[in-house]
Amino acid sequence: MSVTKKSLFIPYRNPTYEGKALLQRVEEFYQFMNRRRSLRMFSDKSVSKEVIQNIIMTASSAPSGANKQPWTFCAISSPEVKAKIRQAAEAEEYTNYHGRMSDTWLDDLKGFGTDEHKPFLEIVPWLIVVCKRAYEEEDGEKKNNYYVNESVGIATGFLLTAIHQAGLVALTHTPSPMNFLTKVLNRPANERPFLLIPVGYPAENAKVPKTQRKPPEDVIIYYE
Ligand code: IYR
């Protein structure tokens, strides 16, 4: 028998802006976000658990299909667990760089200076493994979540934004395949690792590849 859920509505409260103030706000936020970069050169300087918790709860405030919040964030500071993750990730990446990735793919990555070595996985104070939850088990019944990839992708965007806002840096890392994380982190059958995100301070004199972002005309089509 299905139970009809009754909606309970509450007032929406948040400031609004107009005119110059609005334009200034969006321009400033764009400039701020446009300074975000993916880093591979991290400092070992510590970051407190409270900081990480706030960043993760920002991510968890993201919209999701039917508000199911189909995610789990594994926040890892244990040196032993980080070492296990590095070892398994490097083993997978060795196979990637020595045959599993196509020549075109390897060519596309040349400018980024990546290889199978991932020392940052042990150097950083925190690794966040974002997991997606395909379904929930309630009273022995499997209940599918909705738009799981979209929801978890948006939450990860919030996570990266919160990390940047804190003046910290991150890498959206996909050591593929990622199933080793399920084992190392002992995650249940309804969860799959989605992204591995090292978080910390940038190394002194950290460098990033010189890349370019597409201009508006390449990413926006207006229908006015
Ligand atoms: N996962 C590999 C390869 C890699 C793939 C892409 I697409 C990148 O943007 C960067 C790296 C690695 O982490 O080295």
Side-chain angles (χ1 to χ4, degrees):
M1 201 178 68
S2 79
V3 182
T4 310
K5 286 183 184 153
K6 216 174 156 200
S7 309
L8 185 65
F9 286 85
I10 54 170
Y12 171 73
R13 288 193 213 286
N14 202 40
T16 60
Y17 307 89
E18 280 165 55
K20 258 195 196 163
L22 172 59
L23 191 56
Q24 190 182 341
R25 236 179 124 76
V26 294
E27 281 174 354
E28 280 175 7
F29 193 63
Y30 165 45
Q31 296 306 334
F32 166 73
M33 285 305 293
N34 205 23
R35 289 198 297 274
R36 187 208 53 80
R37 293 297 310 263
S38 294
L39 259 82
R40 292 185 171 79
M41 298 161 91
F42 291 87
S43 155
D44 61 1
K45 186 172 164 175
S46 67
V47 172
S48 77
K49 189 174 173 179
E50 289 89 330
V51 167
I52 291 300
Q53 178 139 334
N54 276 282
I55 285 170
I56 291 176
M57 291 317 288
T58 303
S60 195
S61 75
S64 61
N67 192 33
K68 295 289 182 185
Q69 304 163 57
W71 45 64
T72 302
F73 298 88
C74 301
I76 302 140
S77 64
S78 152
E80 293 77 28
V81 179
K82 283 193 275 186
K84 274 191 199 166
I85 290 176
R86 177 185 177 182
Q87 199 187 20
E90 287 186 336
E92 289 294 356
E93 295 294 11
Y94 182 88
T95 316
N96 287 336
Y97 282 92
H98 296 85
R100 202 150 55 189
M101 290 195 287
S102 66
D103 287 346
T104 316
W105 193 349
L106 290 172
D107 202 50
D108 274 337
L109 289 182
K110 267 189 187 143
F112 296 93
T114 59
D115 59 22
E116 70 270 28
H117 302 292
K118 308 293 176 193
F120 55 79
L121 292 175
E122 281 190 274
I123 293 170
V124 277
W126 291 94
L127 297 176
I128 299 178
V129 176
V130 183
C131 295
K132 57 179 182 182
R133 295 171 67 90
Y135 60 89
E136 306 297 335
E137 206 128 21
E138 283 168 30
D139 308 323
E141 229 184 284
K142 278 186 189 177
K143 292 187 135 187
N144 279 336
N145 287 324
Y146 310 101
Y147 298 101
V148 171
N149 285 316
E150 291 84 345
S151 302
V152 181
I154 296 167
T156 304
F158 277 37
L159 186 78
L160 297 176
T161 305
I163 291 166
H164 181 57
Q165 195 272 343
L168 299 171
V169 292
L171 177 69
T172 31
H173 188 37
T174 51
S176 78
M178 281 197 286
N179 26 7
F180 69 86
L181 289 170
T182 301
K183 264 198 212 148
V184 173
L185 302 173
N186 195 25
R187 299 315 304 154
N190 62 334
E191 272 184 29
R192 293 277 177 274
F194 183 74
L195 281 169
L196 168 53
I197 305 189
V199 185
Y201 285 92
E204 238 178 87
N205 308 315
K207 288 200 168 44
V208 290
K210 193 168 180 225
T211 52
Q212 279 198 327
R213 294 198 159 112
K214 288 182 178 178
E217 58 272 25
D218 288 358
V219 297
I220 311 174
I221 302 170
Y222 288 104
Y223 300 81
E224 294 178 277

